[in-house]
Structures are given as structure tokens and as C-alpha cells.
Amino acid sequence: GNLNAYHAGPCAAPREPPAFEPLAVGELTAYVSKTAVVDAGTCRLAVGDAEAAASLRGGWTTQRHFAVPTTDLPVKDDPKILKWFNAALKNSVFPAVGRLYGVRPERLRVVDAFVVKYDSSRRFLPIHTDQAELSITLPLNDRREYRGGGTYFLEADAALNGDAGSLVVFPGCLSHAAAPTTSGVRYVAVAFLYEERGEDEDSDLSRRLAAVDARLE
């Protein structure tokens, strides 16, 4: 299953935590890193691996997500991409996300992860929310290779984006969209996360998010 495919457990402690820029979205906060969190060169290699894997499968998938269909490739379906992605989770992504939202990195889990391609056949995604406590978008190529793009947050009327290896992180309950990529091709890795906890244990993260949801209703 998905849960068994992705890294879970002890994570690396980065010597120098990456800096992030916050964006207030209502009472919650989204973040974009100021520099690469994942090595940009490995992100570009992942693009080549994704295109190769898609061509072997007869094309990118377009029907996996019923409500908001993306042109994508599940990370767990390609061994090379999965190995790269799990190393990124362990060494940099989970530690960064945990620091931003006050969650122990070793308790973070991936529900689903996929490489998304935006081009003339599918330029954007409509406003939606994710079935995840936290969502991440990891750009795989640089902004100079396309125009537009980014994760647009409805309540803030602003989009967050970055070059290859940067990271956008936000609570999945926020209404957001993929801003139109008007020319070129944009590649991102997307993952839906939650915090693992015991049956009798409440999650600090879910409790904080639920408290905000209750105030918004």
C-alpha cells in the first residue's frame, strides 16, 4: 500500500535548517522556502526519470484523482523516483515540515505522493482542498523554464512557488489551486501528509487545525 512505500521513522537532523517565508492564509500559515530544501540537481534528474517511466507506461495518468484530476505519475510506481523521494523525505523534507508546524519528523507519514506535469494539455487545477493534515509541493524544475504556475491560496489571493528543490508547505484544509502555467512545462512533486499517533493519543497538529476550523465555521 501507499503507507508502506514511503519513509517512516527516524530522520536526519539538518545542520543548517532552511529559511522559509510565511504567508498568512486566514488564521493558518503556508510557507515557501527561500532556497532549495532538496538538491536541485536530483530534482531535475527526477523529471527525466518521470518522463521515462511515463513513456514506458504509455503516458502520464490523468484519472487517478476523481474530483481534481492531475496529469501525474505516482511516486511509488517507479523504483528510482521512490528511492530519491524517500531520501528527500528523510534527510530534508520531514525535518523542515516538522520544524514549521511543531511536529516530530519521525511521526510524519505520506498518504499519497505523485509527480505532476503542467503543460498545454493541463495548465492549472481549480480551487480545492486536500484530504491531508499537511500538503507539500516540491518544484522539480526552475521558474525560468515556464511562465505562471505556483500554489494559489484563495483567502490570501497570493501564489507561492520556487525553483527546483524549493518547498511549499501548507495545511491541506486551505482552499488552493494550481495557478495556470501559461507557457512551457512545469513539474512538481506533491505529497499529502499526516501525523502518526497512538490510538489513545490526540495529535497536536490535528487539534490545532481543528480549533481553527471550528472558529471559521
Side-chain angles (χ1 to χ4, degrees):
N2 278 356
L3 296 181
N4 295 329
Y6 298 107
H7 174 75
C11 295
R15 283 169 298 189
E16 202 173 316
F20 280 80
E21 191 81 43
L23 174 69
V25 187
E27 294 193 40
L28 296 174
T29 306
Y31 295 92
V32 60
S33 65
K34 295 181 178 181
T35 56
V37 174
V38 178
D39 180 79
T42 65
C43 291
R44 295 187 190 98
L45 289 174
V47 169
D49 290 339
E51 284 288 5
S55 66
L56 285 173
R57 295 163 53 117
W60 293 72
T61 60
T62 55
Q63 304 297 327
R64 281 199 327 120
H65 301 103
F66 176 73
V68 189
T70 51
T71 300
D72 67 28
L73 182 84
V75 167
K76 68 179 178 61
D77 286 1
D78 184 80
K80 284 176 73 174
I81 299 173
L82 179 61
K83 183 179 179 182
W84 161 77
F85 190 70
N86 277 337
L89 292 177
K90 177 180 180 179
N91 295 326
S92 50
V93 174
F94 279 174
V97 173
R99 209 168 137 265
L100 292 173
Y101 288 97
V103 181
R104 281 162 41 199
E106 66 271 17
R107 294 173 66 147
L108 287 168
R109 300 290 184 271
V110 172
V111 179
D112 194 13
F114 40 101
V115 176
V116 185
K117 180 180 182 178
Y118 295 102
D119 59 10
S120 57
S121 64
R122 178 167 280 129
R123 296 188 185 282
F124 71 97
L125 293 181
I127 296 288
H128 62 282
T129 58
D130 295 334
Q131 292 181 309
E133 289 180 344
L134 294 170
S135 297
I136 63 167
T137 299
L138 171 64
L140 300 180
N141 62 328
D142 290 341
R143 288 171 287 186
R144 60 183 166 76
E145 298 175 34
Y146 58 85
R147 290 183 183 275
T151 306
Y152 172 80
F153 295 95
L154 181 64
E155 202 171 344
D157 191 25
L160 298 180
N161 197 10
D163 290 329
S166 59
L167 190 65
V168 175
V169 194
F170 57 95
C173 60
L174 292 178
S175 294
H176 63 284
T181 298
T182 54
S183 68
V185 184
R186 176 178 179 242
Y187 296 91
V188 295
V190 171
F192 300 149
L193 313 180
Y194 74 98
E195 181 189 8
E196 174 85 341
R197 59 260 183 191
E199 289 179 19
D200 57 348
E201 187 181 18
D202 199 5
S203 155
D204 287 344
L205 174 63
S206 62
R207 190 164 54 238
R208 289 198 303 275
L209 296 179
V212 171
D213 275 345
R215 289 200 296 276
L216 296 179
E217 284 173 359

